[in-house]
Amino acid sequence: MPENLIRIREPNDKRFPKFYEFLKRNYVASLVDPERIIRQELGETNDGNYKTPHAIVVAEDKGRIVAAASGNLLPIDYQRGGRDIGIVFLSYLPPEIKGNEQQVGRAVGELERILAGFASKRDMVAPVTILEAEPDKVGFYEALGFKTLQGVNYHQPPLDWSEDGRALSKPEHLLLMAKPIEGRAYEADVARKEEAALRRGLVGK
């Protein structure tokens, strides 16, 4: 891992509070997962049995977080007689200051490497990265190589739930954007399967 890129592995990592404050500075409150949920996902990922492993990579400059990328490996299509298909689903990748876009790109690349490693261990192919995009950030994500998935009317699911199963936040209408993971084949048949699985799994079509 490059020198100033650091993976936050543990839910009690000393950098986690700085990472969470970083998210709150760069996103509206309705788009930020509750802190307890992110910490819980990290802990369950470390236990080795979490279905959708979570990883966080931050870029530091003089002890200050200047960019970050976090996300999960999501299984979206189970094959009979073939390798299961998954996606790297990015939750957050904000640049703290304009001009740090390169740091974000490096953090995304490292996150993809980590989550593709989880896929490989599970005999799963994960050739594409997906993210949820606020309309005003589409240009930034396009500069990182992402393209909007056309025709997908996607709403981000509620991020927080009560113990009795009630949604404590409202769904957010966002765009879905995708890009192939560098160095990995993204054949047409895989693309078709991924698009179909995305519609089934993410938008119920």
Side-chain angles (χ1 to χ4, degrees):
M1 187 179 296
E3 186 175 345
N4 72 328
L5 290 182
I6 299 161
R7 180 181 173 188
I8 296 177
R9 294 175 178 267
E10 303 292 337
N12 295 321
D13 189 296
K14 65 180 182 181
R15 292 182 178 86
F16 187 93
K18 289 196 297 183
F19 165 73
Y20 196 72
E21 287 301 317
F22 178 80
L23 294 185
K24 292 196 294 184
R25 287 198 303 272
N26 285 278
Y27 287 92
V28 297
S30 61
L31 296 180
V32 179
D33 283 294
E35 181 178 349
R36 60 179 172 79
I37 290 180
I38 301 177
R39 287 184 185 270
Q40 180 181 340
E41 287 193 3
L42 284 180
E44 293 181 358
T45 296
N46 288 338
D47 291 341
N49 296 317
Y50 193 46
K51 183 178 179 181
T52 59
H54 188 116
I56 299 170
V57 176
V58 299
E60 284 193 338
D61 182 19
K62 298 178 181 178
R64 179 170 176 245
I65 293 177
V66 295
S70 73
N72 299 70
L73 173 68
L74 301 184
I76 61 170
D77 206 15
Y78 293 100
Q79 307 294 304
R80 292 183 179 179
R83 299 181 72 188
D84 295 341
I85 298 175
I87 57 173
V88 170
F89 199 98
L90 293 179
S91 304
Y92 308 106
L93 58 157
E96 176 73 289
I97 302 171
K98 187 174 177 58
N100 282 335
E101 290 84 354
Q102 185 177 3
Q103 296 276 38
V104 176
R106 293 170 66 238
V108 169
E110 182 61 23
L111 186 76
E112 289 175 336
R113 186 191 68 78
I114 293 167
L115 293 177
F118 278 108
S120 180
K121 290 178 181 178
R122 299 179 179 195
D123 196 30
M124 179 184 296
V125 58
V128 68
T129 299
I130 302 287
L131 60 79
E132 303 163 325
E134 307 96 302
D136 63 339
K137 292 183 178 177
V138 168
F140 170 66
Y141 296 139
E142 287 178 336
L144 293 176
F146 288 87
K147 294 183 178 179
T148 301
L149 290 174
Q150 301 295 335
V152 178
N153 184 23
Y154 174 73
H155 286 76
Q156 181 195 61
L159 298 179
D160 199 11
W161 299 81
S162 67
E163 292 183 0
D164 61 359
R166 291 180 296 106
L168 299 178
S169 60
K170 295 181 179 179
E172 292 280 342
H173 183 261
L174 301 170
L175 298 172
L176 284 181
M177 302 184 72
K179 79 174 182 67
I181 293 178
E182 184 176 355
R184 294 179 179 271
Y186 191 42
E187 297 87 354
D189 64 328
V190 174
R192 287 193 295 270
K193 290 176 182 177
E194 291 232 350
E195 182 179 355
L198 277 169
R199 291 179 183 277
R200 289 196 305 273
L202 295 177
V203 296
K205 295 182 180 179

